[in-house]
């Protein structure tokens, strides 16, 4: 059974094997939300996420026979890396089943920790089903991602560390399968029942929220979220019961605000997190949690972001803040016209990030040229200044998003 003493033992079991991550106070976000904001930096953890905690604790419980037979798990992300890292530390052979659609960067990360990757199926569920069968056939120990009390105890060590560093009023935690928030809430509530624990899910992957409302485990309706680290089909039966008992509320946030929170962390604090790691801050941007005047800890659960996605997030966030503008022109193909456009852009203090000229565009009339400018600009007032200059020139343009 999970107990406070078990979490304390878990802390001793992983001491010196992984990082004790810092708790960082943010003046920027404290001022923004009229509260004291602290970030628990699990994006600085070994393997780039909290998952290595639970994996290391689980491996510490394996018998000699289990270690000899090896382990297996299914994952497309952070759990895979956590298991591979722990297996390498303990000298255990590990097979990691990942969907065939897994990005090469994630496969390479698992392999770099010594895990043997098996690509199977088109989804996590198909990979999981295959991994379970292999575990039976080869007598390998299956390592659960979240629905395991040893794993939960490992994640609960984050709660112990938070209490050692600060006395919070609210702790905000991303929720996927529920292992992270189960461990943290159990550890914290065991010492102080007055501290509020709030979970955050993507509104596109809200299995825990739906399950709490229905009083039984139900699946989410979509997995089309950028926060793949918290996109699970079902919460675990163990984590569901713990969340019901120890978590004070579950809220959902949009992918747009998850992306924006990720961008603001990078812009203002120079901290890089993955989308699921930014979910807690997104809840503050959406005003889903009353934090005014409170001492708030937000768990940044991981930092393993897809860099192609990151570039898209930065681009979209700059558009949201009126710092990036795309202008499309169909101009008469006469000498000097493009120079006038470029001069108008420069006069507004903007920088041309990208320019495209396509005289072969099928929608461009004969005798005209198609131009597309992507512009980095200071703010909306400068945009208005630029558009006014373009209007005076008399050339037609279109703002595209």
């Amino acid at each position: 059974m999970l107990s406070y003493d078990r979490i304390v033992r878990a802390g001793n079991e992983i001491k010196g094997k992984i990082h004790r991550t810092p708790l960082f106070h943010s003046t920027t976000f404290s001022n923004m939300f009229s509260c004291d904001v602290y970030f628990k930096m699990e994006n600085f953890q070994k393997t780039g996420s909290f998952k290595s905690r639970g994996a290391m604790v689980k491996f510490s419980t394996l018998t000699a026979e289990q270690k000899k037979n090896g382990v297996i798990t299914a994952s497309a992300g952070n759990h895979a890396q956590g298991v591979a890292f722990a297996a390498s530390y303990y000298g255990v052979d590990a097979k990691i089943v990942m969907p065939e659609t897994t990005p090469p960067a994630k496969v390479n990360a698992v392999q770099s920790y010594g895990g043997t990757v098996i690509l199977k199926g088109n989804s996590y569920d198909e990979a999981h089903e295959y991994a379970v069968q292999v575990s039976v056939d080869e007598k390998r120990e299956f390592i659960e991602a979240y629905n395991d009390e040893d794993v939960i105890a490992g994640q609960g060590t984050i709660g112990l560390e938070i209490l050692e560093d600060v006395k919070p009023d609210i702790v905000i935690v991303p929720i996927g399968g529920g292992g992270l928030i189960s461990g943290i809430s159990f550890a914290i509530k065991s010492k102080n029942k007055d501290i509020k624990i709030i979970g955050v899910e993507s509104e596109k992957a809200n299995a825990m929220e739906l399950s709490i409302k229905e009083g039984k485990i139900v699946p989410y309706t979509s997995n089309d979220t950028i926060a793949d680290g918290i996109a699970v089909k079902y919460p675990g039966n163990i984590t569901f019961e713990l969340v019901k008992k120890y978590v004070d509320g579950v809220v959902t946030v949009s992918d747009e605000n998850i992306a924006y929170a990720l961008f603001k962390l990078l812009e203002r604090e120079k901290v890089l997190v993955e989308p699921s790691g930014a979910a807690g801050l997104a809840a503050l941007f959406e005003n889903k949690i009353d934090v005014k005047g409170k001492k708030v800890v937000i768990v940044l659960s991981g930092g393993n972001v897809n860099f192609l996605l990151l570039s898209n997030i930065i681009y979209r966030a700059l558009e949201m803040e009126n710092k990036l503008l795309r202008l499309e022109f169909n101009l008469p193909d006469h000498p000097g016209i493009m120079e006038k456009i470029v001069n108008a852009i420069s006069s507004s203090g903007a920088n041309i990030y990208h320019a495209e000229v396509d005289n072969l565009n099928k929608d461009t009339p004969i005798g005209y040229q198609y131009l597309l400018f992507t512009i980095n600009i200071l703010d909306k007032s400068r945009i208005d200044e630029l558009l006014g200059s373009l209007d005076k020139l008399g050339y037609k343009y279109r703002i595209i998003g």
Side-chain angles (χ1 to χ4, degrees):
M1 293 292 293
L2 186 65
S3 67
Y4 181 77
D5 287 343
R6 176 68 188 101
I7 297 175
V8 172
R9 291 201 310 275
N12 292 329
E13 287 159 3
I14 63 176
K15 188 174 292 184
K17 300 172 185 175
I18 63 167
H19 298 313
R20 190 200 188 285
T21 54
L23 192 72
F24 170 71
H25 180 262
S26 171
T27 301
T28 295
F29 291 107
S30 295
N31 292 337
M32 189 179 296
F33 297 111
S34 301
C35 63
D36 270 329
V37 174
Y38 294 81
F39 294 117
K40 181 59 172 170
M41 312 293 284
E42 285 299 294
N43 56 314
F44 290 169
Q45 187 53 267
K46 293 276 191 180
T47 74
S49 89
F50 72 95
K51 289 288 189 178
S52 57
R53 291 178 183 261
M56 290 295 282
V57 171
K58 184 62 180 178
F59 272 76
S60 73
T61 69
L62 297 181
T63 66
E65 183 70 15
Q66 289 171 325
K67 290 177 181 177
K68 179 182 176 182
N69 292 337
V71 301
I72 191 168
T73 195
S75 172
N78 291 336
H79 176 61
Q81 294 180 54
V83 169
F85 171 75
S88 176
Y89 182 89
Y90 280 96
V92 177
D93 182 69
K95 290 186 176 180
I96 316 293
V97 184
M98 309 181 83
E100 294 170 8
T101 54
T102 303
K106 292 187 176 182
V107 174
N108 292 337
V110 172
Q111 291 174 333
S112 73
Y113 291 114
T116 300
V117 174
I118 301 171
L119 297 177
K120 191 72 174 180
N122 294 315
S123 67
Y124 168 77
D125 293 323
E126 291 180 8
H128 184 275
E129 182 180 356
Y130 180 78
V132 170
Q133 186 58 53
V134 172
S135 73
V136 173
D137 294 342
E138 299 184 5
K139 297 182 179 178
R140 289 176 175 266
E141 182 71 11
F142 188 89
I143 308 295
E144 292 283 355
Y146 49 84
N147 200 44
D148 180 288
E149 290 184 351
D150 291 316
V151 171
I152 293 168
Q155 323 308 20
T157 59
I158 296 171
L160 300 183
E161 292 176 11
I162 289 172
L163 292 180
E164 288 173 1
D165 292 343
V166 73
K167 295 180 180 178
D169 299 304
I170 303 172
V171 178
I172 302 173
V173 187
I175 294 185
L180 177 63
I181 197 169
S182 292
I184 290 175
S185 62
F186 190 99
I188 289 176
K189 292 287 190 176
S190 295
K191 300 300 289 183
N192 189 335
K193 290 183 170 56
D194 293 330
I195 298 173
K196 301 295 184 185
I197 312 293
I198 306 296
V200 183
E201 292 184 293
S202 166
E203 62 188 19
K204 294 182 177 180
N206 59 334
M208 188 66 80
E209 182 201 39
L210 294 173
S211 297
I212 295 297
K213 286 180 179 178
E214 294 290 328
K216 62 181 180 180
I217 294 176
V218 296
Y220 64 68
T221 55
S222 168
N223 63 355
D224 188 23
T225 173
I226 62 171
D228 57 346
I230 52 174
V232 301
K233 189 170 184 179
Y234 299 95
N237 62 309
I238 298 172
T239 58
F240 175 60
E241 294 300 325
L242 289 169
V243 168
K244 281 199 303 180
K245 187 172 182 180
Y246 296 105
V247 174
D248 296 284
V250 178
V251 300
T252 62
V253 292
S254 69
D255 273 20
E256 288 73 21
N257 277 307
I258 289 174
Y260 188 65
L262 186 159
F263 170 77
K264 297 308 285 186
L265 279 164
L266 187 58
E267 179 192 44
R268 301 305 298 272
E269 302 293 1
K270 315 309 177 216
V271 169
L272 178 62
V273 299
E274 61 194 72
S276 56
L281 182 59
L284 269 59
F285 278 111
E286 289 195 15
N287 199 30
K288 290 289 182 71
I289 305 169
D290 181 13
V291 297
K292 190 173 182 179
K294 305 290 178 58
K295 193 172 291 185
V296 182
V297 173
I298 300 174
V299 178
L300 304 182
S301 55
N304 295 316
V305 64
N306 179 314
F307 286 115
L308 292 176
L309 175 62
L310 176 62
S311 64
N312 185 255
I313 286 172
I314 293 172
Y315 183 89
R316 294 299 180 89
L318 289 170
E319 281 189 323
M320 286 176 62
E321 294 191 340
N322 293 308
K323 294 177 180 175
L324 203 68
L325 183 68
R326 291 204 295 167
L327 295 172
E328 184 182 64
F329 297 86
N330 276 309
L331 299 172
D333 192 8
H334 297 155
I337 289 182
M338 188 187 302
E339 182 181 1
K340 292 178 181 179
I341 301 296
V342 170
N343 287 338
I345 293 171
S346 298
S347 297
S348 69
N351 291 321
I352 297 174
Y353 178 72
H354 178 77
E356 179 182 344
V357 180
D358 185 2
N359 292 337
L360 300 179
N361 187 305
K362 66 179 181 179
D363 296 323
T364 301
I366 295 176
Y368 282 72
Q369 60 180 345
Y370 172 87
L371 284 89
L372 175 63
F373 288 102
T374 302
I375 302 163
N376 184 209
I377 197 162
L378 185 62
D379 53 31
K380 190 176 185 305
S381 66
R382 294 297 181 94
I383 291 176
D384 293 338
E385 178 185 331
L386 169 59
L387 298 184
S389 297
L390 294 175
D391 289 338
K392 287 180 182 178
L393 289 174
Y395 302 122
K396 292 183 180 180
Y397 61 87
R398 185 167 71 95
I399 299 173
I400 64 174

